[in-house]
Amino acid sequence: MWKQSVNWLRHHWSGVVMLAVLLGSFVSAPVQGAAATRVDARAAVMIDQQTGQVLYAQNATKRYPVASVTKILTLLVIEDDIAHHRLDWEQKIKIDHAVAKLANDWRFSNVQLNEGESYTVKSLVESMMIVSADGSAEALALASAGSTQAFNQKMQKMAHRAGVTDAKIYNMIGLSNGELGRYGLKGVDKDAENLFSAQDMAKIAAYLLNHYPDVTKLTSQKFVNFRVTDGQEEQMININAMLPENGVAAKGGEIDGLKTGLTDKAGNCFVGSGTFANRRIITVVLNAPGEFNNQFTQTQKMLDIVMNRATPVTLTKVQQLSAQVQTVKVAHGHHRHQTGVKIKPTVVWVPKQLATAKHWPAKLKVRSDQDTIAHRQVRAPVKAGQRVGTITLQLAGMPDFTLPAWATTSVAKHHWWQF
């Protein structure tokens, strides 16, 4: 009975446990100073949402179970369906026996869904994102694609669009395959769980927010009523304890999304989104050990690490970078043997000590299909505005950041008959 009670608390964060977080009973000690430089989690990453610049990375490319963080990708598919008129926010979805069975299983995070009752897409999405309702995620996926396998294919397609190519996707929820019962995949191990890297989840979250920014209006809600049936409602309390004025609310900025996750394999997971230093950032923490709120503590630690050492600066021209990346040699050019290089203005997070530096350290790599290898040159002809390679900013204490580089002038090709 004690073990069942512990499992109930682990899978039901709304209610008493979540209320304690909202009131501050589980507030963890803040990170002291800038000395700590590592997050206590299996993997972590922080990126600038708009540019994709990696601001912090810790074991960020290895795949791990991510539990209900999966539902960010599920939401992306549903948003795409709605945008293309395959689903509608007010469309009603009827609950079958298998979905109702999962939705009312005490082991899982849920709102009550009654067999034969119909619920709007909007209410199911809200419950999926605010209290991590597993039955709601399953109902949405089946309405979208008709089966777990078909919905998985849609998830794979959307993940590829976001730049994720090697994730292992078994279902729309993040539970093990066997826990889906009738809707589990045939021929797949019952213990199989979705596997993503922290970097994968950051890319998916950024893609979601870049294309559907209004999702934060949903994920930032602290309390939402869910209609179970006529005359019966239950109040949902947002699991995200980093929302403003909560017990572990973010410091130095404001979090307004996105999703938590927890299974025995995945541990405590959290993908956050919010505004810091006037930039929208994405944070990912996978498998933070200890108490269920530690993923929030570790997210704040990562935020502190980045904010203490870096600041966003607008990079407007290549002349702000090392002299060696401002031109590129051109082989077989007629009268000209180099071209200037230009970049598009972009915001770059740099170490604070470099913010006012005259030149930032960088290196230029020419396009592989243009490389003469021996001299690292591009081959003529070159047209103004043609992409000639990439410039990598080498920022002390931060991951390198790569930008595309274009030629500023045209260089005609020299032919043997020309003098």
Side-chain angles (χ1 to χ4, degrees), residues 24 28 34 60 101 109 124 178 195 262 279 306 348 354 375 378 403:
S28 298
K101 182 178 179 181
S109 300
L124 291 173
L195 300 175
L262 172 64
R279 299 292 296 175
V306 172
V348 180
L354 283 180
H375 303 291
V378 294
L403 300 168

Side-chain angles (χ1 to χ4, degrees), residues 64-356:
Y64 294 108
V66 297
S68 285
V69 165
T70 297
K71 291 166 184 166
I72 297 172
L73 180 54
T74 299
L75 176 59
L76 177 55
V77 175
I78 300 303
E79 288 278 8
D80 185 69
D81 281 342
I82 292 170
H84 291 88
H85 309 292
R86 293 185 289 267
L87 288 174
D88 182 86
W89 286 112
E90 298 306 319
Q91 177 180 337
K92 291 190 174 182
I93 297 175
K94 190 174 183 179
I95 303 303
D96 67 17
H97 177 76
V99 172
K101 182 178 179 181
L102 184 142
N104 296 302
D105 190 322
W106 65 270
R107 297 175 299 162
F108 308 130
S109 300
N110 271 309
V111 289
Q112 181 179 333
L113 300 179
N114 294 335
E115 181 178 355
E117 189 74 44
S118 294
Y119 303 89
T120 65
V121 169
K122 180 181 178 181
S123 65
L124 291 173
V125 167
E126 285 180 331
S127 60
M128 176 179 72
M129 297 304 292
I130 291 173
V131 295
S132 199
D134 296 338
S136 296
E138 187 173 54
L140 288 163
L142 295 174
S144 168
S147 70
T148 300
Q149 184 173 9
F151 191 75
N152 286 357
Q153 292 173 356
K154 296 177 78 167
M155 293 173 77
Q156 291 278 8
K157 181 178 179 180
M158 294 306 300
H160 281 212
R161 288 186 191 176
V164 175
T165 59
D166 61 350
K168 298 293 184 182
I169 300 175
Y170 299 107
N171 61 70
M172 70 298 285
I173 298 171
L175 295 174
S176 68
N177 184 55
E179 288 173 316
L180 264 70
R182 169 185 165 188
Y183 288 119
L185 297 178
K186 303 297 187 292
V188 174
D189 191 278
K190 67 178 183 179
D191 294 326
E193 290 189 23
N194 299 337
L195 300 175
F196 294 84
S197 69
Q199 183 172 279
D200 289 340
M201 292 313 310
K203 288 180 178 179
I204 291 167
Y207 189 92
L208 171 67
L209 290 166
N210 283 328
H211 288 79
Y212 306 105
D214 284 350
V215 300
T216 57
K217 294 179 181 178
L218 185 158
T219 58
S220 62
Q221 299 176 99
K222 290 186 182 180
F223 305 97
V224 178
N225 288 334
F226 181 84
R227 173 196 163 278
V228 178
T229 189
D230 289 342
Q232 181 185 355
E233 289 187 345
E234 62 178 87
Q235 187 181 65
M236 299 185 293
I237 303 173
N238 200 320
I239 293 171
N240 183 356
M242 294 196 79
L243 295 176
E245 300 178 3
N246 281 356
V248 287
K251 300 174 180 63
E254 186 170 296
I255 291 286
D256 54 18
L258 281 169
K259 190 73 193 68
T260 60
L262 172 64
T263 63
D264 290 338
K265 282 186 179 181
N268 298 302
C269 302
F270 178 56
V271 176
S273 174
T275 303
F276 294 79
N278 295 315
R279 299 292 296 175
R280 178 165 285 281
I281 56 88
I282 304 291
T283 64
V284 181
V285 168
L286 301 182
N287 203 330
E291 298 294 333
F292 75 87
N293 65 321
N294 192 34
Q295 69 271 44
F296 305 125
T297 301
Q298 298 309 314
T299 297
Q300 183 64 57
K301 183 177 181 179
M302 178 164 53
L303 286 164
D304 290 342
I305 291 169
V306 172
M307 300 303 292
N308 280 326
R309 74 185 181 191
T311 187
V313 178
T314 301
L315 177 64
T316 58
K317 53 187 178 180
V318 75
Q319 285 71 26
Q320 292 171 252
L321 306 177
S322 306
Q324 59 265 34
V325 306
Q326 297 178 21
T327 59
V328 62
K329 293 180 179 179
V330 179
H332 313 304
H334 184 57
H335 297 311
R336 295 182 63 92
H337 303 289
Q338 70 176 28
T339 177
V341 171
K342 63 180 179 180
I343 56 175
K344 292 181 179 179
T346 187
V347 173
V348 180
W349 291 73
V350 299
K352 290 183 177 180
Q353 65 270 23
L354 283 180
T356 58

Side-chain angles (χ1 to χ4, degrees), residues 11-28:
H11 291 286
H12 292 74
W13 289 3
S14 56
V16 177
V17 175
M18 192 59 217
L19 185 58
V21 172
L22 293 174
L23 294 175
S25 300
F26 289 87
V27 177
S28 298

